[in-house]
Amino acid sequence: MSMRVTFLGTSGAVPTTRRNPSAVFVNREGDRLLFDAGEGTQRQMMRFGTGFAVSDVFVSHLHGDHVLGIPGLVQTMDFNEREDPLTIHAPRGTGDDVNDLVHAAGNRPSFPVRVSEVAPGETVVRREEYEVRAFRTDHDARAVGYALVEDDRKGRFDRERAEELGVPVGPKFSKLHEGEPVELDDGTVVRPEQVVGDPRPGRRFVYTGDTRPSEQVVAAAEDADLLVHDATFASDRADRAADTAHSTAAQAGEIAQRAGAVRLALTHISSRYAGDVSAHLTEASETFDGEVFVPEDGETREIPYPDG
Ligand SMILES: [Zn+2]
Ligand SMILES: [Zn+2]
C-alpha cells in the first residue's frame, strides 16, 4: 500500500516566488486527500501532477493562506465536468465561511460539495484501512490539525512453520492468515497464533496547520511516521512566533521528539527565509533526533511502514 505525500505549498502567510501558500496532498493507494488549499493550489496540482480527483479537503483554519485556493479549485473541477462529490472538512463554526468560498463570485458548482464541520477529537473520515482524526491546535483562530492513522496490519504469516505443522499449501494458508483455525486431514487443529505473528502497526501522517507548540499536538503525533509541523520562524524570531501563534523550527523539533515521530517536515516558512532555510534545519536537528527536512514545493515523499 503506497502513501505518497506531495508538498504543494510550503510558504507562510505571504507566498514567495518559490513557495506557494499552504497545501499538502496525500495519495494513499489511490485515495486522494488535500490538507489545506492556499491560493494557487490548483496550479500546483497541475505542475506536480497530482490530478484533481480529490475526495476530501481538510481545512485547518480559515486564514486566507490556507483556504483562498478553494474557490478556484472548485470552479476548475466544475469546468472539468466533475460529478463525484467533494467534502470539505473545517473547524466547527467556520462552515458558513467555507460555503461562501465555495460559492465565491456567484459560483454554483454542478457537482455536490458538502461542507462538514469537525471538532477536535472526532474521527472525521473512516475508510476501510485508515481514518482521519481531528485534533486541537493552538492558533489565533478556530483551528484543528489532522492525523491520518492506518489500522494495524495482519501479522506476518510464517509459511515454513505452517508447512512443518503439516498445513497443505493453499486456501488453509489464507484462512489461518485471516485468523481462523483450520483442521488437517488427520484431525489436528492448527490455530492462527501458531503461524501468524503479532499485528503490525500501520502508518501515521500528521498535519498541524498553523500552531504554537502544543501538548495536544504531542499526543496526536505519537509515533508519527511523518509529522508536518508549523515552523514559520527560526529562533531569531522566537518572539514573533509566540506573538503570532506560530512555532519556531526548534519548537517543532521538540514536539516531534516528545511525540516519538520518525520524521519531521518543517513548513509554513516565513518569506523572510526565502533564500535560506539552514537555520531551520540546524535548530530543529538540535531538538529532534529523527529525520528533519524543509520540503520545497513539489517535493514528494513515499512514507514507508514503520517496520520497513
Ligand atoms: Zn498560515
Ligand atoms: Zn493562520
Side-chain angles (χ1 to χ4, degrees), residues 61 63 65-66 139-141 210 246 268:
H61 65 297
H63 284 161
D65 57 315
H66 298 256
H139 192 47
D140 57 2
D210 295 357
H246 288 293
H268 203 268

Side-chain angles (χ1 to χ4, degrees), residues 42-199:
Q42 58 165 325
R43 283 198 72 240
Q44 300 293 79
M45 294 166 86
M46 293 174 195
R47 279 179 76 190
F48 305 122
T50 60
F52 283 116
V54 170
S55 61
D56 297 81
V57 180
F58 300 88
V59 171
S60 65
H61 65 297
L62 263 283
H63 284 161
D65 57 315
H66 298 256
V67 293
L68 289 178
I70 291 175
L73 178 60
V74 170
Q75 284 199 25
T76 297
M77 287 172 165
D78 208 18
F79 284 131
N80 290 346
E81 294 174 1
R82 177 179 172 124
E83 291 177 358
D84 294 335
L86 176 72
T87 306
I88 304 177
H89 311 271
R92 186 180 281 167
T94 66
D96 288 347
D97 288 336
V98 174
N99 257 308
D100 288 347
L101 286 164
V102 169
H103 300 110
N107 188 34
R108 291 285 173 272
S110 51
F111 64 98
V113 180
R114 194 170 73 92
V115 175
S116 170
E117 294 194 353
V118 306
E122 262 178 24
T123 296
V124 181
V125 160
R126 174 71 221 167
R127 299 271 157 79
E128 199 182 326
E129 293 173 320
Y130 66 91
E131 60 188 32
V132 179
R133 305 170 186 159
F135 60 90
R136 191 179 301 283
T137 52
D138 183 3
H139 192 47
D140 57 2
R142 294 165 194 267
V144 296
Y146 294 98
L148 190 168
V149 179
E150 289 184 335
D151 300 344
D152 283 349
R153 292 168 298 148
K154 282 183 287 205
R156 280 188 207 286
F157 185 74
D158 189 341
R159 202 188 163 89
E160 253 173 48
R161 180 77 188 124
E163 282 177 27
E164 274 169 26
L165 292 168
V167 184
V169 178
K172 285 186 174 154
F173 271 36
S174 6
K175 237 180 148 180
L176 281 163
H177 205 184
E178 294 299 330
E180 285 176 57
V182 299
E183 191 177 337
L184 307 183
D185 290 345
D186 66 0
T188 321
V189 172
V190 177
R191 294 183 315 278
E193 54 272 27
Q194 292 175 274
V195 291
V196 181
D198 291 334

Side-chain angles (χ1 to χ4, degrees), residues 11 27-29 57 73 90 117 135 173 257 282 290 299 306:
S11 82
N27 184 333
R28 193 214 172 259
E29 197 65 23
V57 180
L73 178 60
E117 294 194 353
F135 60 90
F173 271 36
Q257 182 69 19
T282 309
E299 190 164 333

Side-chain angles (χ1 to χ4, degrees), residues 209-221:
D210 295 357
T211 187
R212 292 189 183 91
S214 153
E215 290 303 314
Q216 274 84 7
V217 174
V218 174

